[in-house]
Amino acid sequence: MKILVTGAAGFIGSFTAKQLLERGETVVGLDNFNDYYDVSLKEARAKLLEPFDNFRMARIDLADRVAIETLFAIEKFDRVV
């Protein structure tokens, strides 16, 4: 199953993505890495997900409709979290 996890570099999103990855799901993490809070925390969390072969990070703003539509067209997600 291919799952999109929004806010994947945030606290909840990164731990959700990790649980799904450990379960064997394919995960695309979505985060724009904005500076709402310390970006270095987001970068560190994203780094913990990088070793998984079934993971990739999409650095896209959820408000960018064209980019999101393109992502959905390419990835064909089964679920969105």
Side-chain angles (χ1 to χ4, degrees):
M1 184 175 299
K2 186 182 283 189
I3 303 170
L4 174 68
V5 176
T6 64
F11 180 77
I12 294 170
S14 64
F15 285 94
T16 300
K18 186 172 184 284
Q19 290 291 314
L20 292 167
L21 290 163
E22 289 173 345
R23 194 169 88 176
E25 309 295 353
T26 298
V27 174
V28 175
L30 175 69
D31 209 293
N32 65 356
F33 290 80
N34 66 26
D35 61 356
Y36 182 74
Y37 65 87
D38 189 354
V39 176
S40 66
L41 289 173
K42 293 180 179 188
E43 293 289 352
R45 289 187 193 113
K47 202 131 195 82
L48 295 173
L49 302 172
E50 288 176 4
F52 290 91
D53 292 334
N54 49 335
F55 176 78
R56 82 172 193 84
M57 181 65 78
R59 290 177 179 244
I60 299 172
D61 187 333
L62 188 59
D64 184 342
R65 183 180 180 133
V66 172
I68 294 297
E69 286 176 349
T70 302
L71 181 68
F72 271 76
I74 292 168
E75 298 291 348
K76 313 236 186 297
F77 299 109
D78 298 300
R79 301 283 187 275
V80 176
V81 177

